[in-house]
Amino acid sequence: MDATRPGANGNPLLGVDIGGTKVAAGLVDSRGRILLARHRRMVARGTPQEGLEPVFASIGEVLDDPRAKRVHTIGVSVPGWVDPGRGIVLRAANIPCWRNFPLARKIRRRFQLPVRTGNDGNLAALAEATWGAGRGYASLLYVTVGTGVGTGIVIDGRLYSGRAGGAVEGGHLPINFRGPRCGCGKRGCAEAYFSGTAIARRARRLAATPAGRKSKLFDLAGGKIRAVTAETVARAAAEDDPLAARILDEAAGYFAIWLGGMIDLLEPGVIIIGGGMGRLMLSLRSRLRRGLEAWAANPRREEIPLVAARYGADSALVGAAALGLADNE
Amino acid sequence: MDATRPGANGNPLLGVDIGGTKVAAGLVDSRGRILLARHRRMVARGTPQEGLEPVFASIGEVLDDPRAKRVHTIGVSVPGWVDPGRGIVLRAANIPCWRNFPLARKIRRRFQLPVRTGNDGNLAALAEATWGAGRGYASLLYVTVGTGVGTGIVIDGRLYSGRAGGAVEGGHLPINFRGPRCGCGKRGCAEAYFSGTAIARRARRLAATPAGRKSKLFDLAGGKIRAVTAETVARAAAEDDPLAARILDEAAGYFAIWLGGMIDLLEPGVIIIGGGMGRLMLSLRSRLRRGLEAWAANPRREEIPLVAARYGADSALVGAAALGLADNE
């Protein structure tokens, strides 16, 4: 499968993005643009069948559209661990109703179309490789920094997802095994240092200090320490608050330590950065480059482009649609 | 190139392993066995041309053998950073005479045969994928722990070596950015924690303590702290010395932290472990597995086999020969 060559026949592609609270199904054209999208509220905590209903409903509604006539594959993104070969959802933290659940088979039986599945971070990487910031590169590392840290790798147009779909969880590489506890149970993971969650935690700690109480961080949260979020940090930094700037500078430093390791390990053709906090750290470009001088041993580290992702919230839907290109040629 | 399918035509393959002190050229058969090898002392610190002479001599001697009649490609391993697409040695710490040196072109002109090049760690991984412990797996992570920590990744039979041959330097992933200084200039790299060099340094420190002076470590080094090496630790551990066992246990613990990160990132089909210290740590299998329970978030971590490398000191020569399979079909 050469996913960098969109199907030339112009058939629209159907992508489904299943999240913990929402489902979106949509049609994507051969240039990676969403033609239409249908949304449902996800039912993630009921029976497995209850979880399927909003998925079926959103797909059905898209297939009812005349433009969907020539859809030949349904690509599905799941925010968790899915075995792409067999289309089984092994475990997804935010969709507890499905565990070792044969999602692809269920959808295939309902709609009589081939189904391909993948993990949301991996599919976002595929979207960038196919139509986004990764076009023209032989390999890419994708990283999205939002609440957590998601990653994906595409090599020669092919998504890399490991032996059974469990890769690529780069957010759980430890950068300091004596560091803070991560949600995954390990210590000092990347995600525990520079995710939105980690940044917000650090900001709350600093906002509670005497200096913090004089900062815009404190003001913007209405004086409630618990209301300080990563978004508060972003806004305070935009208003030139020194404490917020310091927090972002630290986070970008940790990000550079991790990026440097990834460069030494993978030397990707391009590094694509998405997510709210990712974009914000990318805006501190000279800080990142300075960090990479210290934290990437690769002597050509500065030649690897650091670029913003094309896709945002719709990256998993578009990437899921891109899975259909393998059947579209 | 599907390097997992040895050329069926039975032509022998020519591999060259250039090291900082020695050059070996050899013929490898279609089952990955070395048929003959010729050795020279490497001249690494003279002019670029002086460096070429032992390489030419060893290759010439192999090509003079009647069995080399149908050799069609020369595969070359370099212990450093080489751009495999262009065959240029960019930088190799132990071969200072070549910097941005067009090695492939020089060898091609001399012998009128196509030349392919690669990095020694990567080529060792290719050897394992083609004929060794990696056969039958869709992806593998290779790690050799000797003086340093070398790594390689093969995916679907293809060597992954990054945008310009600078990958895969997994030994320079930091596991603790506040950790000890690594030879590469970074802090807390894997190599600074569990390489033979790191293990020897730790052993010398402990051997100098009052308890250490009563250990076999101290005895085996003839009472000279400076004579304690990783090899001393291995021998003392084999004689049941508690201090040596403790040092290896610690090293295996660090190794598991790093392996856990690699599993979460890459979820390889198999992990192949080579090198003297690598094999020793692999012998502490239950220690490694216990470490992975804590340091790999992937819920199927225990299904990933940890196996010993087939090849030892000749891995780079065999891997270099395997490069010729791409031209052998």
Side-chain angles (χ1 to χ4, degrees):
Chain A
M1 159 181 167
D2 178 357
T4 58
R5 275 178 38 225
N9 61 14
N11 285 353
L13 300 154
L14 200 165
V16 187
D17 175 18
I18 306 178
T21 57
K22 296 179 289 193
V23 182
L27 285 185
V28 173
D29 73 10
S30 63
R31 291 160 74 178
R33 294 171 304 197
I34 296 179
L35 299 174
L36 74 98
R38 297 291 178 259
H39 301 269
R40 283 289 186 286
R41 184 189 304 254
M42 179 61 188
V43 182
R45 287 164 197 284
T47 65
Q49 187 60 36
E50 283 167 347
L52 277 178
E53 278 158 22
V55 174
F56 284 177
S58 61
I59 296 172
E61 210 176 327
V62 169
L63 287 173
D64 283 344
D65 190 280
R67 285 169 288 181
K69 211 173 125 189
R70 290 183 303 164
V71 158
H72 49 66
T73 300
I74 301 173
V76 182
S77 166
V78 179
W81 194 38
V82 50
D83 183 331
R86 300 183 297 151
I88 292 176
V89 177
L90 297 160
R91 200 152 95 176
N94 295 321
I95 310 184
C97 66
W98 294 341
R99 221 181 144 104
N100 298 317
F101 183 70
L103 179 65
R105 198 176 71 208
K106 298 284 187 184
I107 299 176
R108 188 169 59 240
R109 288 208 180 146
R110 173 72 180 74
F111 295 102
Q112 303 296 318
L113 283 171
V115 176
R116 290 172 180 264
T117 57
N119 158 291
D120 55 351
N122 292 347
L123 292 178
L126 184 62
E128 295 295 336
T130 310
W131 295 300
R135 274 176 306 172
Y137 292 97
S139 61
L140 70 82
L141 170 68
Y142 169 81
V143 50
T144 175
V145 185
T147 312
V149 175
T151 53
I153 295 171
V154 180
I155 302 168
D156 294 331
R158 293 165 60 118
L159 192 56
Y160 178 81
S161 52
R163 71 195 291 270
V168 177
E169 295 291 348
H172 298 293
L173 273 185
I175 58 171
N176 179 358
F177 61 79
R178 298 197 205 282
R181 184 73 67 182
C182 180
C184 76
K186 293 162 61 166
R187 277 194 181 280
C189 293
E191 190 161 301
Y193 273 98
F194 58 80
S195 64
T197 308
I199 289 169
R201 189 173 47 227
R202 176 78 173 141
R204 284 193 292 271
R205 189 166 307 156
L206 290 178
T209 62
R213 288 178 185 274
K214 291 180 206 145
S215 73
K216 291 203 171 121
L217 226 46
F218 192 76
D219 285 352
L220 287 167
K224 289 183 196 140
I225 300 294
R226 289 208 328 223
V228 171
T229 64
E231 177 58 27
T232 320
V233 179
R235 283 166 55 212
E239 295 182 19
D240 254 350
D241 180 64
L243 194 63
R246 175 180 149 199
I247 292 166
L248 285 180
D249 183 78
E250 280 176 10
Y254 296 133
F255 190 35
I257 292 171
W258 178 85
L259 279 173
M262 297 300 284
I263 287 173
D264 287 339
L265 183 70
L266 298 174
E267 199 195 45
V270 61
I271 295 172
I272 299 173
I273 300 173
M277 294 316 295
R279 284 165 194 273
L280 197 55
M281 290 192 289
L282 181 59
S283 73
L284 306 174
R285 191 177 289 271
S286 63
R287 175 70 185 90
L288 287 183
R289 286 288 175 194
R290 204 169 66 241
L292 290 178
E293 289 292 307
W295 289 102
N298 188 307
R300 290 195 174 173
R301 60 207 163 211
E302 78 285 353
E303 293 175 16
I304 300 175
L306 305 175
V307 303
R310 167 178 173 184
Y311 294 105
D314 47 8
S315 60
L317 189 155
V318 174
L323 286 172
L325 289 170
D327 305 316
N328 200 13
E329 293 181 338
Chain B
M1 161 179 165
D2 178 358
T4 59
R5 275 177 41 224
N9 61 13
N11 286 353
L13 299 154
L14 199 164
V16 186
D17 175 17
I18 306 178
T21 57
K22 295 179 290 195
V23 182
L27 285 185
V28 173
D29 74 8
S30 63
R31 290 160 75 179
R33 294 170 306 198
I34 295 178
L35 299 173
L36 75 98
R38 296 292 177 259
H39 301 268
R40 283 288 186 287
R41 183 190 303 254
M42 180 61 188
V43 182
R45 287 165 197 285
T47 65
Q49 186 60 36
E50 283 168 349
L52 277 177
E53 278 157 22
V55 175
F56 284 177
S58 60
I59 296 172
E61 211 177 325
V62 170
L63 287 173
D64 283 345
D65 190 280
R67 285 170 289 181
K69 211 173 124 189
R70 288 184 304 163
V71 158
H72 50 66
T73 300
I74 301 173
V76 183
S77 166
V78 179
W81 194 38
V82 50
D83 183 332
R86 299 183 299 151
I88 292 178
V89 178
L90 297 160
R91 201 151 95 175
N94 295 321
I95 309 183
C97 67
W98 294 340
R99 219 181 146 106
N100 298 317
F101 183 70
L103 180 65
R105 197 176 72 207
K106 298 284 186 186
I107 299 175
R108 188 169 58 240
R109 286 207 181 145
R110 173 72 180 74
F111 295 103
Q112 302 296 319
L113 283 171
V115 176
R116 289 173 179 264
T117 57
N119 158 290
D120 56 349
N122 291 347
L123 292 178
L126 185 62
E128 296 294 337
T130 311
W131 295 299
R135 275 177 305 174
Y137 292 97
S139 61
L140 71 81
L141 170 68
Y142 169 82
V143 51
T144 176
V145 186
T147 312
V149 175
T151 53
I153 295 171
V154 181
I155 301 168
D156 293 332
R158 294 164 60 118
L159 191 55
Y160 178 80
S161 51
R163 68 194 293 271
V168 178
E169 295 291 347
H172 297 293
L173 271 186
I175 59 172
N176 179 357
F177 62 78
R178 300 197 203 283
R181 184 74 66 182
C182 179
C184 75
K186 294 162 62 166
R187 278 195 178 280
C189 292
E191 190 161 299
Y193 273 98
F194 58 79
S195 65
T197 308
I199 290 169
R201 188 172 50 226
R202 176 78 173 140
R204 285 193 291 271
R205 189 166 307 158
L206 290 178
T209 62
R213 289 179 184 274
K214 292 180 206 145
S215 73
K216 291 203 172 120
L217 226 46
F218 191 76
D219 285 353
L220 287 167
K224 289 181 197 139
I225 299 294
R226 287 206 331 219
V228 172
T229 63
E231 178 59 26
T232 321
V233 179
R235 283 165 55 211
E239 294 182 20
D240 253 349
D241 179 65
L243 195 63
R246 175 181 148 196
I247 292 166
L248 286 181
D249 183 78
E250 280 175 10
Y254 296 133
F255 191 35
I257 291 171
W258 179 85
L259 279 173
M262 297 300 284
I263 287 173
D264 286 339
L265 184 70
L266 297 174
E267 199 195 46
V270 62
I271 295 172
I272 300 173
I273 300 173
M277 294 316 296
R279 283 164 194 275
L280 197 56
M281 291 192 289
L282 181 58
S283 73
L284 307 173
R285 192 178 288 271
S286 63
R287 174 70 184 89
L288 287 183
R289 286 289 178 194
R290 205 168 66 241
L292 289 179
E293 289 291 309
W295 289 101
N298 188 307
R300 289 194 172 172
R301 59 207 163 211
E302 78 283 355
E303 293 175 17
I304 300 175
L306 304 175
V307 304
R310 168 179 174 183
Y311 294 104
D314 47 9
S315 61
L317 189 155
V318 174
L323 287 173
L325 288 170
D327 305 314
N328 200 13
E329 293 183 338

